[in-house]
Amino acid sequence: MRIKQQVVVFDAADLSTESRFWAGLLGGTVAADDDWHMVLVDGEPRVAVQLAPNHVPPEWPDGNPQQIHLDLWVDDIDASHQEVMSLGATLLQAAEETDDPDAFQVYADPAGHPFCLCWVKDVPPALD
């Protein structure tokens, strides 16, 4: 089998809000049909949103189960946090203080789908 294209599709009751969020986050545009919106980045399909009038948002971490989530790796967590919040995201869980070199925060998009902003922490130089 040869897969020529891959697109993640989100269900949402409000196509416009959901597709605008992902287009804003990915730096893309929305190609809209009645019950399907495709988010294009540099002219290529990246994610899609399909109309699901009875969509029930997941409740993270417990409650209505999530169907999928995305991990998005960023260089600047502070700037990225501000951007996703201005686009309509909700912070579900702030990063935990750990000794791990990687960190993440959990958000929900406007339709309630969880996604994570992930980053590599600045590691102080080793002392000799």
Side-chain angles (χ1 to χ4, degrees):
M1 171 175 30
R2 181 172 179 257
I3 297 172
K4 297 178 76 170
Q5 188 174 40
Q6 177 181 326
V7 175
V8 174
V9 180
F10 293 100
D11 289 348
D14 184 341
L15 287 175
S16 295
T17 299
E18 185 75 357
S19 59
R20 272 195 317 268
F21 173 83
W22 286 105
L25 183 65
L26 299 172
T29 58
V30 176
D33 287 326
D34 289 341
D35 59 359
W36 179 272
H37 289 188
M38 183 70 76
V39 175
L40 306 170
V41 178
D42 297 327
E44 296 293 324
R46 184 65 69 88
V47 299
V49 181
Q50 73 178 1
L51 181 61
N54 298 323
H55 172 70
V56 177
E59 295 170 346
W60 190 92
D62 300 314
N64 295 326
Q66 63 183 342
Q67 296 85 29
I68 189 171
H69 84 268
L70 299 178
D71 287 347
L72 306 170
W73 291 84
V74 299
D75 291 332
D76 182 340
I77 184 56
D78 295 327
S80 298
H81 170 80
Q82 292 302 321
E83 185 172 345
V84 299
M85 296 302 286
S86 72
L87 291 167
T90 302
L91 178 64
L92 298 177
Q93 178 184 319
E96 295 178 5
E97 292 295 325
T98 69
D99 292 334
D100 294 334
D102 298 320
F104 67 93
Q105 294 193 147
V106 183
Y107 298 83
D109 71 13
H113 299 289
F115 67 96
C116 297
L117 292 183
C118 309
W119 67 98
V120 176
K121 296 180 198 172
D122 292 329
V123 179
L127 299 175
D128 292 334

